[in-house]
Amino acid sequence: MSDLSRPTRPNTLTETGIFVGGGGIDYQDVQSLRLDHGNRHGLIAGATGTGKTVTLQVLAEGFSDAGVPVFMADVKGDLSGLAQAGSETAKLHKAFQTRAETIGFDIRYRAYPTVFWDVFGQQGIPVRTTISEMGPVLLTQLLGLSPAQEGVLHIAFHLADQEGLALLDLDDLRALLLYVSEKADEIQARYGNVDARSIGAIQRQLLILETEGAGVFFGEPALSLPDMLRSAPDGRGQINILTADKLINSPKVYATFLLWILSELFETLPEVGNPEKPVCAFFFDEAHLLFDDAPKPLLEKIEQVARLIRSKGVGIYFVTQNPTDIPDDVLSQLGNRVQHALRAFTAKDQKNLERAAETYRDNPRFSILDTLRDVGTGEALTSFLDRKGIPGIAERTLIRPPMSKLGPITDVDRQALIRSCDLFEKYRQPVNPDSAYEILQHRAGQSQESAQPGEEKAHSHARRYSGTHSKSSSGSARKSSDTILETFGKSFARQLGSRSGQALVRGLLGSLFRK
């Protein structure tokens, strides 16, 4: 039975931040993520099935209720439930109600303002960017290029800037690479070696990328970030969900796309210092894909973005199974942490578990190492930054229930929400303005037209194919004064390579014909 004397919390927010759950001996100690430290980044980790998705949903609801726009990738399709209210007839309602009573929380089921996006335009509003906005650094990661190939790509982008060639889609980049190949001698004199093999390798990688379906990602109309950083009429922040169940099958495309959004936020948002609440909260699910096999320059870029973007008011929350999936330089910047249970089936797992335990402030009431192994589903070890920005003491926390539906919505409901969104018509149809491909095609056409009269004159004097193969240093036809015998003799003598051979052949043939 519930204790009616316990106070209940009317919503997802506390006086200082987002109510995440209850900690302490009887789960009555409020555990909240301070909004004024929401841009100090965070980590949600834990083995499969331990409750990461619920925590992700809870934090997204809290940020939205605080008026903070949210962006998250939905890898498994579970997060679409944010668009609908939870239900008292749902399977987990009784379990949620018991948990809510334990931590003193008042469940008030409600839907959240949600916009679905999809690179492939099937389960969300089409989201696109241009080749120019992606840039050579991220394209190098996306295409898996070598340093030499990356150098050629940088030269191509520089040349496009110099000559006013807009790079919007893959056709534009292909046309530009062909142009670079044709002008290689001239370009090498200014920018360095342009190897034809490198251009060929880039073209092959572009073909593979297009085969994987990523070609639809590049083009116009490109995504305008303000369309994501919006609030609903009731003041709640818009929750942007990127449908990624298909995109995740191309890990490089997935990781590069999310890193591109972060880079765009970093480059376009103004400095805000330490705001009272974040400008945007960004959740990066399956975060290990960002770091697996990433070259050093890319890792340095990720670290730089993570370190500097918080001054733009953006909080990044990495979601992964184990904290060791995140490089130490990035992990050290994640001040707010929710650690669900970790499993240790092997010696390597045990070592990773010990490393994870070492990153939390000790709590004298329990062993952090044992807690990381023992917390059940719906529980987690939490540590949030305190008022002074210092990591709080680790606490065993019972995570509050979500207000929105747990699990996916139906395809019919999803499509209805997509088509009713005011952004649907803006991005629904791709457009193809004149860009590098069209400009270079037009230049080639003009060049042919200007050369046409001269070419016709040259053709009128050129030697036509006559079925013989005679070689002349001047390129002209044989002299009309030569007889057939002389011509044949000269030709055969060239094969023999001597003057005496020429005279011998001429004499022999002359005698033969006289007879």
Side-chain angles (χ1 to χ4, degrees):
M1 294 183 62
S2 62
D3 184 355
L4 298 180
S5 64
R6 286 184 174 180
T8 58
R9 304 190 183 283
N11 53 47
T12 62
L13 302 177
T14 66
E15 293 181 359
T16 59
I18 299 170
F19 178 52
V20 177
I25 297 175
D26 57 357
Y27 298 111
Q28 285 297 291
D29 293 342
V30 174
Q31 301 299 308
S32 62
L33 188 158
R34 293 181 63 95
L35 283 171
D36 57 356
H37 293 324
N39 64 328
R40 299 285 289 273
H41 310 325
L43 172 71
I44 302 172
T48 301
T50 56
K52 294 194 302 294
T53 300
V54 171
T55 298
L56 184 58
Q57 200 162 328
V58 162
L59 290 180
E61 291 176 353
F63 279 118
S64 178
D65 284 334
V68 178
V70 174
F71 178 90
M72 55 176 53
D74 190 4
V75 173
K76 296 176 291 185
D78 295 343
L79 297 175
S80 60
L82 281 158
Q84 290 183 352
S87 172
E88 294 183 359
T89 61
K91 180 180 178 180
L92 292 176
H93 171 68
K94 289 186 177 179
F96 284 164
Q97 191 173 37
T98 301
R99 188 188 302 184
E101 291 172 351
T102 301
I103 63 178
F105 181 72
D106 182 17
I107 297 181
R108 298 181 183 180
Y109 289 128
R110 57 183 175 269
Y112 281 80
T114 305
V115 175
F116 295 101
W117 303 89
D118 184 6
V119 168
F120 303 102
Q122 298 170 353
Q123 300 185 68
I125 297 171
V127 54
R128 308 178 188 88
T129 187
T130 65
I131 293 291
S132 293
E133 290 175 338
M134 179 66 75
V137 174
L138 293 182
L139 274 175
T140 294
Q141 164 68 7
L142 183 60
L143 300 174
L145 303 182
S146 68
Q149 294 158 5
E150 180 182 8
V152 171
L153 195 62
H154 276 275
I155 290 173
F157 268 77
H158 181 75
L159 191 66
D161 288 340
Q162 292 291 316
E163 300 199 14
L165 301 174
L167 300 176
L168 304 183
D169 53 26
L170 292 182
D171 284 341
D172 290 328
L173 185 54
R174 288 194 184 99
L176 176 64
L177 290 171
L178 180 60
Y179 178 67
V180 170
S181 178
E182 293 172 346
K183 301 287 185 179
D185 292 339
E186 178 184 343
I187 292 171
Q188 286 178 173
R190 288 187 291 168
Y191 303 117
N193 185 43
V194 178
D195 186 28
R197 290 172 298 180
S198 293
I199 294 177
I202 298 172
Q203 294 279 32
R204 289 192 296 273
Q205 291 303 113
L206 289 175
L207 178 61
I208 294 172
L209 185 66
E210 190 170 36
T211 303
E212 292 178 349
V216 296
F217 172 50
F218 296 104
E220 291 278 10
L223 175 66
S224 175
L225 289 180
D227 287 337
M228 284 188 171
L229 306 180
R230 306 192 305 175
S231 295
D234 61 5
R236 289 184 296 170
Q238 175 177 294
I239 297 179
N240 302 278
I241 297 180
L242 174 71
T243 303
D245 54 344
K246 183 178 178 181
L247 185 63
I248 200 68
N249 294 326
S250 302
K252 283 186 178 180
V253 180
Y254 172 76
T256 306
F257 171 76
L258 295 186
L259 185 56
W260 163 74
I261 291 184
L262 285 178
S263 299
E264 286 294 297
L265 288 170
F266 175 71
E267 293 174 4
T268 59
L269 291 176
E271 294 280 343
V272 293
N274 296 310
E276 294 183 358
K277 62 182 181 181
V279 174
C280 173
F282 187 101
F283 291 88
F284 202 133
D285 200 4
E286 299 294 335
H288 66 91
L289 296 175
L290 182 62
F291 306 104
D292 288 349
D293 301 322
K296 185 177 180 181
L298 182 64
L299 290 175
E300 291 174 349
K301 181 176 179 62
I302 297 170
E303 180 189 351
Q304 179 191 43
V305 170
R307 184 175 65 254
L308 300 178
I309 201 171
R310 69 185 190 190
S311 65
K312 305 294 185 81
V314 178
I316 307 172
Y317 290 79
F318 294 94
V319 185
T320 190
Q321 291 197 12
N322 199 300
T324 56
D325 295 335
I326 312 296
D328 289 342
D329 290 339
V330 177
L331 188 63
S332 64
Q333 300 178 50
L334 311 182
N336 300 297
R337 301 189 182 187
V338 180
Q339 176 68 65
H340 291 273
L342 291 173
R343 308 306 183 200
F345 298 112
T346 66
K348 182 179 179 181
D349 292 339
Q350 180 63 31
K351 186 174 294 185
N352 289 338
L353 182 64
E354 294 171 356
R355 287 181 58 191
E358 292 171 355
T359 63
Y360 289 88
R361 283 182 62 185
D362 288 334
N363 189 317
R365 295 200 332 271
F366 56 82
S367 164
I368 292 179
L369 183 62
D370 292 341
T371 301
L372 288 179
R373 279 193 297 252
D374 299 341
V375 288
T377 301
E379 281 189 291
L381 191 71
T382 61
S383 175
F384 301 111
L385 297 176
D386 63 17
R387 181 175 57 86
K388 296 182 179 180
I390 300 172
I393 294 175
E395 190 60 76
R396 185 166 181 162
T397 302
L398 193 60
I399 305 298
R400 74 157 178 85
M403 301 292 92
S404 52
K405 178 180 178 179
L406 185 63
I409 62 176
T410 67
D411 289 339
V412 173
D413 290 340
R414 177 193 285 265
Q415 291 300 325
L417 288 168
I418 292 170
R419 294 181 179 279
S420 64
C421 180
D422 62 318
L423 298 174
F424 177 68
E425 288 298 328
K426 178 177 180 179
Y427 294 102
R428 181 170 65 94
Q429 290 291 345
V431 297
N432 189 24
D434 285 351
S435 49
Y437 176 81
E438 289 79 13
I439 294 172
L440 291 174
Q441 288 277 22
H442 182 65
R443 287 184 187 177
Q446 286 184 328
S447 177
Q448 289 179 355
E449 289 177 2
S450 62
Q452 189 171 357
E455 289 173 352
E456 290 178 350
K457 185 176 180 180
H459 289 164
S460 66
H461 292 83
R463 180 163 54 94
R464 296 327 194 243
Y465 178 73
S466 60
T468 61
H469 180 69
S470 60
K471 183 177 179 182
S472 173
S473 60
S474 64
S476 60
R478 63 178 176 85
K479 295 180 181 179
S480 58
S481 59
D482 286 345
T483 67
I484 295 175
L485 290 176
E486 288 173 332
T487 302
F488 184 80
K490 289 179 181 179
S491 177
F492 187 51
R494 287 192 197 93
Q495 302 297 325
L496 296 176
S498 66
R499 293 184 178 179
S500 59
Q502 178 180 344
L504 176 62
V505 171
R506 187 182 300 173
L508 288 173
L509 291 176
S511 300
L512 180 62
F513 275 90
R514 282 194 295 273
K515 292 181 181 179

